[in-house]
Amino acid sequence: MSLAAPTRFSSYLLAAMLLSSSIAQAGEDDFFLKELMKQQQPNMNRRIPDWLRTQPAQLSPALEKILKNGNQAASQTAQNAGDLKQTQVGVVQGRWIFVSFSMPAHEMKAAAEEAAASKSVLVFRGVEPGTNTGSITKKLIPIVKDMKPVPGAVIDPTLFTRFNVNVVPTLIETDAAGKTRIARGLPGFEWLSKQEPGDHGQRGPTFGILEPDMIEEIQRRMEHMDWDRQRREAMANFWKRQDAFNLPAAEKNRDRHVDMSIVSTQDIFHPDGRLIIARGDKINPQAIMPMRNVYIVFDATSQKQVAIAKKAGDDALRKHKPVIYLFSKIDQERGWDHFNETGEVVNGPLYKLNQDIINRFKIQALPSVIEGEGDHVVVREIAARELY
């Protein structure tokens, strides 16, 4: 692992930087615990479906990314979707064509062609009832797939409200000073830009808006959501969604020393100019800030391994070393019941093992006890027969 680019650090800051730059090394107990607790926290937040995000949903510029990104908030559209700028408080500069799938196919295509040519943005108020942003994507792709550039499109009901748009298509252009030009129909921005600021009325066929306001739809659906049921389901299904690590059982006792060292790729200097670490130097974080906790890794579905973990933990506690118990697997059907039962047996903090710990300590078999000893870290594999 490399250190930061050449910078002057104090010895104290250097030690802190070294300790925070590695994933799972000596002295990183706090980091470990924060990550473990975060990963083991069921998501109880009131999360609404992706399509019900209040932020504008970006539907392009790269339509092929839409299916991957879903209804993610977009701070701005890409360059070919038009330049939208927040110029001052309350003023948004840009060009928009407000549309709806209430428009005939040829009208929607004409609006998309105008958006592509003028680098403006197609704006939808929401999605049709019972659908999501994917439905808009599917309808737009055959219309715009051969256009160069592909026009930008967003779902943003706030723009409909800001400009009081009630019919489509509606063209709106706002400059940096907040001066706005509006026309209903599709006269084109080449014509609209030459007009005086103001409302230039209807300049072509217009249609009603099919899609409901997404924000109003959010509020309506949230009122009918059973949050208590969602909370119960989140708790009940939490462990079923967790990955299990199928590490083999240790066949014999074995101690392995893990090299926690990192190598500097740059010279690092003290503020007074003295060289602290030269490029290529190896630093052992365990020697700077020794590991405090003992980590005991075991398979909670194995009674033998649970018993070994308990015994190893008791031994560490007698040496006045705090113990963290990490399980690789749990009975997913019994979930929290099994978790609580295992916690009562080991009588200590119990967390789910993660890939970072496996990688950093090169865990190969279970149960394993990870412990700092002097200037090095030992991973001790314990055979199940040691219990008897």
Side-chain angles (χ1 to χ4, degrees), residues 119-225:
K119 293 185 178 181
S120 55
V121 183
L122 297 173
V123 185
F124 291 86
R125 187 170 69 176
V127 298
E128 296 177 52
T131 65
N132 53 35
T133 55
S135 64
I136 292 182
T137 300
K138 291 177 182 178
K139 290 183 177 181
L140 272 181
I141 286 177
I143 295 173
V144 305
K145 64 180 181 179
D146 296 326
M147 296 182 186
K148 294 182 180 180
V150 174
V154 297
I155 298 175
D156 191 351
T158 63
L159 285 175
F160 277 78
T161 302
R162 174 190 289 266
F163 296 111
N164 194 28
V165 176
N166 297 309
V167 296
V168 291
T170 294
L171 273 62
I172 297 181
E173 178 182 81
T174 302
D175 61 23
K179 297 179 179 179
T180 301
R181 297 168 177 82
I182 301 175
R184 285 163 285 282
L186 281 175
F189 282 106
E190 184 177 358
W191 174 84
L192 185 61
S193 298
K194 296 176 182 177
Q195 309 307 310
E196 291 295 320
D199 189 332
H200 295 277
Q202 184 170 338
R203 297 286 171 167
T206 60
F207 308 88
I209 303 171
L210 174 64
E211 301 82 10
D213 184 301
M214 179 172 275
I215 293 177
E216 293 178 0
E217 184 68 3
I218 288 173
Q219 295 170 343
R220 184 186 70 82
R221 294 203 176 194
M222 287 182 69
E223 288 176 357
H224 293 86
M225 280 190 176

Side-chain angles (χ1 to χ4, degrees), residues 118-369:
S118 60
K119 293 185 178 181
S120 55
V121 183
L122 297 173
V123 185
F124 291 86
R125 187 170 69 176
V127 298
E128 296 177 52
T131 65
N132 53 35
T133 55
S135 64
I136 292 182
T137 300
K138 291 177 182 178
K139 290 183 177 181
L140 272 181
I141 286 177
I143 295 173
V144 305
K145 64 180 181 179
D146 296 326
M147 296 182 186
K148 294 182 180 180
V150 174
V154 297
I155 298 175
D156 191 351
T158 63
L159 285 175
F160 277 78
T161 302
R162 174 190 289 266
F163 296 111
N164 194 28
V165 176
N166 297 309
V167 296
V168 291
T170 294
L171 273 62
I172 297 181
E173 178 182 81
T174 302
D175 61 23
K179 297 179 179 179
T180 301
R181 297 168 177 82
I182 301 175
R184 285 163 285 282
L186 281 175
F189 282 106
E190 184 177 358
W191 174 84
L192 185 61
S193 298
K194 296 176 182 177
Q195 309 307 310
E196 291 295 320
D199 189 332
H200 295 277
Q202 184 170 338
R203 297 286 171 167
T206 60
F207 308 88
I209 303 171
L210 174 64
E211 301 82 10
D213 184 301
M214 179 172 275
I215 293 177
E216 293 178 0
E217 184 68 3
I218 288 173
Q219 295 170 343
R220 184 186 70 82
R221 294 203 176 194
M222 287 182 69
E223 288 176 357
H224 293 86
M225 280 190 176
D226 187 342
W227 296 112
D228 289 336
R229 180 176 61 83
Q230 290 198 355
R231 186 181 296 272
R232 292 193 301 271
E233 290 178 353
M235 285 289 290
N237 297 323
F238 176 74
W239 292 114
K240 295 179 181 179
R241 296 191 296 267
Q242 302 303 309
D243 294 330
F245 298 100
N246 295 307
L247 294 163
E251 296 181 356
K252 61 181 180 180
N253 293 343
R254 180 174 65 144
D255 288 1
R256 294 186 294 105
H257 288 201
V258 179
D259 184 6
M260 308 300 292
S261 300
I262 54 178
V263 178
S264 174
T265 60
Q266 303 288 343
D267 292 339
I268 298 179
F269 296 90
H270 191 277
D272 64 9
R274 289 181 290 112
L275 178 66
I276 298 176
I277 298 176
R279 178 180 178 180
D281 282 354
K282 181 180 287 189
I283 304 97
N284 181 6
Q286 173 68 13
I288 300 173
M289 188 178 292
M291 178 180 290
R292 296 172 299 173
N293 295 323
V294 175
Y295 293 89
I296 301 177
V297 189
F298 64 100
D299 179 353
T301 64
S302 165
Q303 291 184 358
K304 286 185 177 181
Q305 292 200 28
V306 173
I308 291 174
K310 167 64 174 172
K311 182 177 182 300
D314 290 345
D315 291 342
L317 290 172
R318 279 192 289 271
K319 299 175 184 177
H320 305 289
K321 292 188 174 182
V323 178
I324 303 297
Y325 297 93
L326 303 169
F327 61 88
S328 62
K329 288 191 294 186
I330 199 169
D331 187 331
Q332 293 181 318
E333 292 301 319
R334 298 183 59 224
W336 290 105
D337 288 339
H338 188 213
F339 173 84
N340 292 330
E341 291 169 6
T342 305
E344 290 176 1
V345 171
V346 298
N347 193 28
L350 183 63
Y351 300 98
K352 187 175 75 73
L353 180 66
N354 62 36
Q355 191 64 51
D356 286 342
I357 295 177
I358 294 174
N359 294 341
R360 183 57 176 163
F361 295 108
K362 302 178 177 63
I363 298 175
Q364 300 172 5
L366 301 179
S368 286
V369 178

Side-chain angles (χ1 to χ4, degrees), residues 81-94:
D83 296 326
L84 307 183
K85 302 176 181 178
Q86 186 78 31
T87 56
Q88 53 182 299
V89 177
V91 175
V92 177
Q93 179 184 357

